[in-house]
């Protein structure tokens, strides 16, 4: 008989992830045993403390990563090869935890809607019934949203660090299932919220099926699900690669769906519009960070030897995503849907940065990993801030998303109009904003990879996108306000702090991007 060997999980490196998942489980216990009157405060404090401890732990882990490949990479493969704790993963962890922390502040906001949160008091109550009215009169709310958020964050952390295909799939489901639920919990416009959750769930289930089938095909080709083993099989196998190519295509479907790339973007505008705006803000920023880092790891580590097979596909997807996202955004009359199509266009810009993966770079050229990580930082802050401002403009039915309601907003609230204009100009990529620097680095990465036609299309698309951003600014500053137009609500310190932090980050990353660019460069390459 052979002796049992304990698996080496590397708890000293993965403990920030375990803190988040442990706090999510503790949140479920809180729901079961803490009196209703104390749940809100308990859940908010538990969530913020857990995210803060995990962020501090992430910084500690980052200082202890071992150098690999003569200093070109840093980190270790743990959990029996299932998880890679390296520089890009730790960078993504830090960004995800910051986004989640600010997202919790938006979740906890109660001053904007008569002392209640943006979440339904009882999801099981049918919209428009007496049961829903009674719940609203009692001021009840779903405090389960906080453990759900923590489970989603835990899945995102694992997704960004996944080093084999099965862990990738499990992490995808862990982050997706809570988001499906959160999207259906809006207090206002309940039917629209439930429709958004159902669409997201059904289309997400289809994409997960494609991903799982792709995993089966790649395993059939390589005989392993670990990224390093797949890379070795590609390098050492000279036979037919039909099974591999089919697997790559199906894997790409699952990942491109999560980032909202064309032609898998149909869910994005409906879900962004129907979900509670705090959920939309958190999901728009966090999901893209986790999914793009996971995608970049998969294509760089596992499929790098097959680069010339998947690169043309990404060229086409990046072009279509940018163009279709920008063109459809022009036709929108709802601010939330406009930002949704804007996110699709920005997905194309990030994909442009990935086109430089695996290219031979000079000493001063920006690599794909550095470019994508920096762009995700800029996009995360300016998107979170834009949706946070959106929660402030309200009418009798709740948030006012119609463009005509924003006419003359600068006269009613010059501060809110000015901050929103800052975020819109950054999304448009104007100089001295975070968006300009982010686009510059991903375009530089793509140029280093020889994708100059995509860069030309991206520059033209950015010019088109500037039209619908500036249109909103012109509407706010140069149009007469409607007599019955929406008012600007006064938020609590929670939403105010979120808007302030994201606005400062948007300016600083545009004016002084060097420290964050250096930090992204210091993250190094992915490890095997």
């Amino acid at each position: 008989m052979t002796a049992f060997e304990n698996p080496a999980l590397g708890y000293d490196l993965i403990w920030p992830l375990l803190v988040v998942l442990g706090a999510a489980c503790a949140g479920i216990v809180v729901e079961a045993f803490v009196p209703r009157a104390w749940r809100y405060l308990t859940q908010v404090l538990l969530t913020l403390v857990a995210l803060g401890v995990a962020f501090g732990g992430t910084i500690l882990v980052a200082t202890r990563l071992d150098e690999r490949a003569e200093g070109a990479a840093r980190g270790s493969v743990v959990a029996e090869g299932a998880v890679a704790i390296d520089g890009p993963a730790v960078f993504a962890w830090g960004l995800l935890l910051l986004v989640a922390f600010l997202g919790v502040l938006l979740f906890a906001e109660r001053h904007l809607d008569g002392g209640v949160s943006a979440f339904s008091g009882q999801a099981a109550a049918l919209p428009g019934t007496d049961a829903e009215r009674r719940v609203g009169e009692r001021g009840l709310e779903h405090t389960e949203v906080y453990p759900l958020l923590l489970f989603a964050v835990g899945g995102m952390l694992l997704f960004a660090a996944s080093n084999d295909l099965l862990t990738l799939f499990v992490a995808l489901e862990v982050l997706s299932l809570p988001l499906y639920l959160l999207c259906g919990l809006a207090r206002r416009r309940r039917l629209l919220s439930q429709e958004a959750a159902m669409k997201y769930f059904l289309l997400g289930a289809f994409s997960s099926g494609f991903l799982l089938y792709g995993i089966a095909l790649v395993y059939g080709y390589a005989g392993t699900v670990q990224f390093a083993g797949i890379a070795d099989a590609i390098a050492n196998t000279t036979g037919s690669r039909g099974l591999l190519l089919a697997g790559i295509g199906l894997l790409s479907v699952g990942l491109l769906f999560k980032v909202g790339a064309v032609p898998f973007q149909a869910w994005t505008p409906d879900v962004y519009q129907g979900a509670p705006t705090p959920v939309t803000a958190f999901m728009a920023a966090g999901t893209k960070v986790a999914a793009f880092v996971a995608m970049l790891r998969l294509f760089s580590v596992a499929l790098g030897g097959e680069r010339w097979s998947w690169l043309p596909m990404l060229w086409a997807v990046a072009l279509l995503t940018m163009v279709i996202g920008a063109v459809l955004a022009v036709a929108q009359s709802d601010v939330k849907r406009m930002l949704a199509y804007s996110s699709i266009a920005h997905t194309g810009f990030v994909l442009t940065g990935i086109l430089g993966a695996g290219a031979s770079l000079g000493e001063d050229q920006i690599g794909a990993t550095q470019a994508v990580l920096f762009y995700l930082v800029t996009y995360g802050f300016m998107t979170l801030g834009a949706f946070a401002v959106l929660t402030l403009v309200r009418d009798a039915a709740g948030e006012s998303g119609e463009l005509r309601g924003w006419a003359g907003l600068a006269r009613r609230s010059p501060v809110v109009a000015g901050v929103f204009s800052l975020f819109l100009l950054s999304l448009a990529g104007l100089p001295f904003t975070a968006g300009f620097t982010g686009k510059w680095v991903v375009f530089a990465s793509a140029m280093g990879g020889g994708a100059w036609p995509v860069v030309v299309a991206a520059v033209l698309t950015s010019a088109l996108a500037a039209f619908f951003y500036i249109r909103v600014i012109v509407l706010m500053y140069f149009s007469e306000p409607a007599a019955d137009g929406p008012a600007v609500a006064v938020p609590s310190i929670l939403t105010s702090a979120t808007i302030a932090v994201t606005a400062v980050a948007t300016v600083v990353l545009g004016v002084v991007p060097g420290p964050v660019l250096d930090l992204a460069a210091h993250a190094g390459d992915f490890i095997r």
Side-chain angles (χ1 to χ4, degrees):
M1 297 179 62
T2 58
F4 176 76
E5 294 184 7
N6 293 327
L9 296 180
Y11 289 111
D12 58 324
L13 296 178
I14 65 172
W15 71 267
L17 167 63
L18 300 180
V19 166
V20 173
L21 294 176
C25 296
I28 296 175
V29 176
V30 168
E31 288 297 316
F33 295 103
V34 174
R36 183 183 294 274
W38 291 93
R39 287 180 197 167
Y40 165 78
L41 182 60
T42 305
Q43 292 282 28
V44 172
L45 290 177
L46 173 64
T47 305
L48 291 177
V49 169
L51 294 173
V53 171
F55 183 77
T58 299
I59 296 175
L60 186 62
V61 168
T63 62
R64 296 182 176 180
L65 297 180
D66 299 326
E67 288 193 358
R68 306 277 292 271
E70 298 181 353
R74 299 163 57 246
S76 301
V77 176
V78 297
E80 298 297 309
V83 179
I85 307 300
D86 52 15
V90 172
F91 187 99
W93 281 15
L95 178 56
L96 284 168
L97 292 168
L98 283 176
V99 167
F101 192 94
L102 296 174
V104 172
L105 299 184
L106 297 180
F107 275 45
E109 176 62 64
R110 281 177 149 187
H111 285 204
L112 297 176
D113 200 5
V116 295
S117 71
F119 298 97
S120 168
Q122 186 176 12
L126 293 177
T129 61
D130 291 339
E132 185 187 42
R133 190 189 69 254
R134 288 194 298 269
V135 169
E137 292 173 350
R138 294 173 60 190
L140 301 182
E141 63 181 277
H142 271 297
T143 50
E144 295 95 329
V145 297
Y146 300 100
L148 286 174
L149 178 141
L150 285 174
F151 276 120
V153 173
M156 291 174 185
L157 299 179
L158 183 59
F159 199 46
S162 296
N163 196 49
D164 69 45
L165 294 177
L166 288 183
T167 305
L168 187 79
F169 175 75
V170 171
L172 175 63
E173 296 306 298
V174 172
L175 79 89
S176 297
L177 292 175
L179 293 178
Y180 299 153
L181 292 173
L182 289 170
C183 288
L185 295 180
R187 182 178 294 273
R188 302 280 189 160
R189 299 180 174 91
R190 296 279 295 119
L191 284 176
L192 188 64
S193 177
Q194 292 176 351
E195 179 187 352
M198 182 60 69
K199 287 180 178 179
Y200 195 17
F201 169 70
L202 292 176
L203 293 175
F206 280 122
S207 72
S208 295
F210 279 104
L211 183 72
L212 197 58
Y213 195 16
I215 291 172
L217 294 181
V218 173
Y219 175 77
Y221 172 83
T224 180
V225 293
Q226 291 195 345
F227 289 176
I230 295 170
D232 291 338
I234 292 174
N236 299 322
T237 303
T238 58
S240 173
R241 303 204 173 193
L243 205 62
L244 174 65
L245 296 179
I248 292 174
L250 293 174
L251 288 174
S252 300
V253 170
L255 294 174
L256 292 172
F257 172 86
K258 291 311 297 182
V259 298
V262 174
F264 314 108
Q265 86 294 348
W267 62 274
T268 306
D270 292 336
V271 173
Y272 276 37
Q273 183 182 25
T277 302
V279 175
T280 305
F282 165 69
M283 178 173 61
T287 304
K288 277 187 170 53
V289 173
F292 272 117
V293 173
M295 184 187 302
L296 193 55
R297 182 186 300 278
L298 175 66
F299 285 132
S300 299
V301 177
L303 306 176
E306 199 67 21
R307 179 173 181 263
W308 296 110
S309 295
W310 52 258
L311 197 59
M313 177 267 295
L314 282 189
W315 274 48
V317 171
L319 280 168
L320 288 173
T321 302
M322 289 184 294
V323 173
I324 291 178
V327 170
L328 293 182
V330 173
Q332 302 307 309
S333 60
D334 184 275
V335 179
K336 214 171 177 183
R337 290 184 71 89
M338 184 201 75
L339 291 176
Y341 281 107
S342 163
S343 77
I344 295 173
H346 281 275
T347 294
F349 296 142
V350 185
L351 288 172
T352 302
I354 295 180
L355 299 180
S360 299
L361 300 175
E363 183 178 348
D364 296 328
Q365 286 184 297
I366 296 176
T369 304
Q370 179 188 6
V372 170
L373 291 178
F374 182 82
Y375 195 95
L376 292 174
V377 174
T378 64
Y379 178 79
F381 282 116
M382 60 190 180
T383 300
L384 198 64
F387 280 109
V389 173
L390 193 61
T391 64
L392 305 183
V393 183
R394 311 180 73 84
D395 55 24
E399 295 170 8
S400 176
E402 288 293 325
L403 269 176
R404 63 175 180 269
W406 290 64
L409 183 68
R411 301 186 186 181
R412 295 195 296 272
S413 181
V415 174
V416 171
V419 173
F420 195 58
S421 298
L422 170 65
F423 292 129
L424 291 177
L425 292 175
S426 183
L427 288 167
L430 266 69
F432 303 109
T433 63
F436 173 80
T437 313
K439 288 182 179 179
W440 178 77
V441 295
V442 293
F443 294 169
S445 170
M447 289 293 290
W452 64 265
V454 181
V455 175
V456 172
V459 172
L460 297 176
T461 303
S462 296
L464 173 62
F467 166 77
F468 56 81
Y469 294 125
I470 295 176
R471 178 182 61 178
V472 179
I473 297 174
V474 170
L475 191 67
M476 291 190 295
Y477 281 91
F478 300 104
S479 298
E480 290 294 329
D484 57 346
V488 177
V490 179
S492 70
I493 187 63
L494 301 177
T495 298
S496 300
T498 301
I499 294 174
V501 169
T502 52
V504 170
T506 299
V507 174
V508 170
L509 289 170
V511 178
V512 191
V516 178
L517 274 171
D518 292 341
L519 189 62
H522 184 64
D525 296 329
F526 294 99
I527 64 172
R528 294 179 54 181

